[in-house]
DNA sequence: TCATTAATTCGCC
DNA sequence: GGCGAATTAATGA
């Protein structure tokens, strides 16, 4: 993430989005750098039947779409706000000018992209798992990793079963059945429908 | 508070 | 595992 004032001095602007607004579409040519001040944005695709696959959910403080500014390729994903959000948006030229005059920023971006790539490897490996229980367990581990407390049931999954399904490639019913099964095995706890891991 | 929409769950194939 | 319907939760007027 880049200091907001620095972005503003290179012409960035603030944009407010309501829930479910499209920031860009798959196939669009990348024109901006995006950074989230408040809210969250999902990067997704839809398969031929319209089933959603979520590649990533970016939250406050995170940037997205920046890797496409370094390559001459259209976006491979859609970006949609999943809640009311405030986004800092810089044009591609403003962003490139910024990193040219502030090369130190590049190492931050590098670090961030490296972390994202690390996540991508884990998620990709995860998708190859055969059984839904293994898929969900590894995915929950992945979610809990940044959480400082590793105690059992200390982490409330901050997303809906629908979202879990779209993130793991499973269908909602399978997520519901598997989570219940995991509860029987004392791998998770369910309280008021909320999942604790 | 009531109506609408989204999410969850259940029964069945 | 996935469809359709029933139930429940969330959202908004």
């Amino acid at each position: 993430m880049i200091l907001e004032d620095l972005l503003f001095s290179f012409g960035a602007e603030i944009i407010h989005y309501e829930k479910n607004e499209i920031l860009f579409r798959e196939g669009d040519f990348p024109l901006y750098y995006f950074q989230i001040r408040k809210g969250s944005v999902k990067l997704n695709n839809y398969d031929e039947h319209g089933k959603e696959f979520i590649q990533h959910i970016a939250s406050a403080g995170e940037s997205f779409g920046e890797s496409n500014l370094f390559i001459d390729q259209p976006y491979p994903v859609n970006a949609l706000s999943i809640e009311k959000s405030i986004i800092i948006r810089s044009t591609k030229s403003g962003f490139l000018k910024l990193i040219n005059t502030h090369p130190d920023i590049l190492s931050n971006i590098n670090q961030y992209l490296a972390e994202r790539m690390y996540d991508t490897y884990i998620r990709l490996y995860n998708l190859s798992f055969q059984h839904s229980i293994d898929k969900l367990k590894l995915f929950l581990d992945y979610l809990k990793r940044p959480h400082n407390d590793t105690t059992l049931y200390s982490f409330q999954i901050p997303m809906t079963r629908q979202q879990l399904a779209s993130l793991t490639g499973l269908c909602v019913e399978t997520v519901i059945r598997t989570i219940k099964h995991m509860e029987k095995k004392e791998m998770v706890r369910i309280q008021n429908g909320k999942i604790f891991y």
Side-chain angles (χ1 to χ4, degrees):
Chain A
M1 136 178 213
I2 303 175
L3 209 60
E4 289 187 5
D5 285 342
L6 189 56
L7 284 165
F8 291 138
S9 68
F10 281 83
E13 51 189 338
I14 293 181
I15 302 187
H16 293 258
Y17 289 97
E18 295 302 314
K19 189 179 176 181
N20 284 328
E21 279 199 76
I22 297 172
L23 283 74
F24 57 76
R25 286 189 167 82
E26 179 182 352
D28 281 356
F29 201 77
L31 299 172
Y32 304 99
Y33 164 88
F34 296 91
Q35 181 167 302
I36 305 175
R37 173 189 281 182
K38 189 170 176 294
S40 49
V41 171
K42 66 181 174 187
L43 304 179
N44 71 5
N45 299 104
Y46 298 96
D47 74 7
E48 67 269 31
H49 305 295
K51 184 180 174 187
E52 179 186 30
F53 180 75
I54 301 178
Q55 301 270 3
H56 180 68
I57 294 180
S59 311
E62 289 186 70
S63 57
F64 57 91
E66 70 281 55
S67 56
N68 280 80
L69 295 176
F70 297 107
I71 55 175
D72 204 22
Q73 294 290 334
Y75 288 119
V77 292
N78 307 289
L80 281 89
S81 54
I82 56 181
E83 57 186 311
K84 201 174 157 76
S85 302
I86 303 174
I87 309 290
I88 316 294
R89 190 176 83 171
S90 166
T91 62
K92 178 176 179 175
S93 61
F95 173 73
L96 293 178
K97 216 170 283 174
L98 189 157
I99 55 177
N100 276 334
T101 49
H102 296 75
D104 51 311
I105 295 286
L106 262 182
S107 70
N108 293 340
I109 294 174
N110 223 5
Q111 164 98 28
Y112 178 69
L113 289 179
E115 284 168 5
R116 288 286 307 285
M117 185 170 288
Y118 177 80
D119 287 350
T120 301
Y121 283 136
I122 293 177
R123 300 254 349 258
L124 188 56
Y125 170 54
N126 192 180
L127 289 175
S128 72
F129 281 32
Q130 297 297 313
H131 305 293
S132 52
I133 192 161
D134 299 326
K135 262 193 186 178
L136 278 171
K137 177 168 188 322
L138 185 64
F139 187 72
L140 295 185
D141 282 335
Y142 163 81
L143 285 179
K144 192 175 178 174
R145 182 163 54 86
H147 183 68
N148 47 22
D149 190 352
T150 56
T151 321
L152 192 61
Y153 309 140
S154 67
F155 180 61
Q156 182 183 339
I157 305 303
M159 48 185 66
T160 65
R161 287 156 178 73
Q162 193 82 247
Q163 287 176 317
L164 283 178
S166 296
L167 281 154
T168 53
L170 299 168
C171 67
V172 202
E173 293 93 331
T174 306
V175 170
I176 289 163
R177 287 163 186 154
T178 307
I179 293 290
K180 281 186 173 175
H181 186 216
M182 290 171 81
E183 187 187 28
K184 280 207 185 77
K185 291 189 141 192
E186 301 187 337
M187 293 166 74
V188 298
R189 180 181 289 166
I190 301 174
Q191 273 172 14
N192 302 321
K194 309 288 180 201
I195 305 165
F196 292 84
Y197 181 62

